[in-house]
Amino acid sequence: MIRLQWLDYLATLRERKTWLCGAMLLYAVLSIPVMLARPPAHVQEAIAAWFGHGGPFVLFMYVWIDLAMNKMVAFLPVVLASGIVLRERDVGVLSILAAKPLSMPRYFALRAVSACAVMATLHVGAQLLGLVYFTARVPGFRPLAFLAAMTPHLFAAIFATCFSAAIAGWVKHRGASALIGLAVLGLLLGLSLIGFYQPAWRNLTLVNPMSLGALALGNLDHLGPKDLAPPMLALSLLSLAAIAIGAAGVRRMEA
């Protein structure tokens, strides 16, 4: 099973859609410092009001999370995971797979984990590349705070991939699965920072899993395990639940 998981991960890494996702992340890394070269004064003032101060690193992290990585997480997991099992059915190999000593729920879980691993590889790769590039290009860049703040976001990206896979487990058509995934993830990510804009709604926004991935923005100066561990644990449990829900959906294909 482990060998099959590894081979599926490598095969997914080699797919053209994965290279497209990598190219999009590379573009995001290279373009963000250019966007921040001359930030508008009203943007700096707004960020200072939302996060307590508007230093260059806070401004950078807001732009990186909200304008770059959140947009990627609304799209890349759908590309990677919205066709799990459905593609095999459409090309006519699902019946062959069903004849193997591997149940459909287990096959779905294997493919979902591979998609999550690829998403994690792309996300971590973008942060490590950014760590080198941003250190040279972004004034006041703080490497350790950057990596710490992006760790919960990695778990949010993995959850988004599991969620996209779960939709594929219940929706019969790849196009509909992708559209639903894009719509729901876009909505969740669009609302993920509303707790910073409206502090009175902060606790309410915690029911949004994608908000958990951006919580570090509110405490960049003093990030520690108590800030990072709870959202990471919650997102891990939600990811497992999403895979279980998707696996339950694909049981219909065995009937």
Side-chain angles (χ1 to χ4, degrees):
M1 188 71 174
I2 295 176
R3 173 68 173 170
L4 180 59
Q5 183 77 74
W6 173 247
L7 291 175
D8 189 59
Y9 166 73
L10 293 179
T12 306
L13 272 182
R14 291 193 293 267
E15 291 183 354
R16 283 177 291 181
K17 65 182 181 182
T18 304
W19 288 93
L20 171 64
C21 294
M24 294 174 65
L25 285 167
L26 176 62
Y27 175 78
V29 170
L30 297 177
S31 63
I32 289 300
V34 177
M35 294 174 57
L36 289 172
R38 295 181 180 178
H42 69 278
V43 173
Q44 293 178 299
E45 293 171 0
I47 291 175
W50 294 335
F51 303 106
H53 61 90
F57 182 66
V58 176
L59 173 62
F60 163 77
M61 287 303 298
Y62 171 78
V63 172
W64 178 241
I65 288 179
D66 188 46
L67 298 186
M69 293 309 298
N70 273 3
K71 304 302 182 289
M72 294 296 171
V73 171
F75 180 74
L76 302 190
V78 176
V79 173
L80 293 172
S82 65
I84 287 178
V85 176
L86 298 178
R87 182 175 65 174
E88 287 87 337
R89 183 204 62 193
D90 292 345
V91 299
V93 301
L94 196 60
S95 58
I96 300 174
L97 293 170
K100 304 297 182 181
L102 184 67
S103 67
M104 280 298 101
R106 290 185 68 188
Y107 178 73
F108 169 86
L110 181 146
R111 295 298 319 280
V113 170
S114 294
C116 290
V118 170
M119 183 68 240
T121 300
L122 292 171
H123 193 286
V124 171
Q127 310 319 310
L128 294 179
L129 177 62
L131 185 69
V132 176
Y133 185 63
F134 298 150
T135 299
R137 295 293 307 271
V138 177
F141 183 73
R142 291 152 49 191
L144 293 180
F146 170 75
L147 290 178
M150 294 311 299
T151 302
H153 199 275
L154 166 63
F155 282 74
I158 292 172
F159 165 75
T161 308
C162 295
F163 181 77
S164 297
I167 294 174
W170 285 92
V171 177
K172 294 182 179 180
H173 303 286
R174 280 193 285 175
S177 173
L179 286 174
I180 293 171
L182 282 171
V184 176
L185 287 177
L187 178 62
L188 292 176
L189 286 159
L191 297 173
S192 63
L193 299 183
I194 199 169
F196 295 111
Y197 311 149
Q198 299 289 340
W201 299 353
R202 178 71 60 86
N203 292 334
L204 181 61
T205 62
L206 295 180
V207 301
N208 178 358
M210 308 315 295
S211 291
L212 301 178
L215 283 179
L217 270 176
N219 195 27
L220 288 172
D221 292 330
H222 306 287
L223 284 177
K226 65 181 179 62
D227 303 299
L228 303 176
M232 291 160 56
L233 176 60
L235 288 165
S236 297
L237 295 175
L238 289 170
S239 298
L240 292 174
I243 291 178
I245 291 170
V250 300
R251 287 185 186 277
R252 299 168 302 160
M253 297 183 182
E254 290 185 316

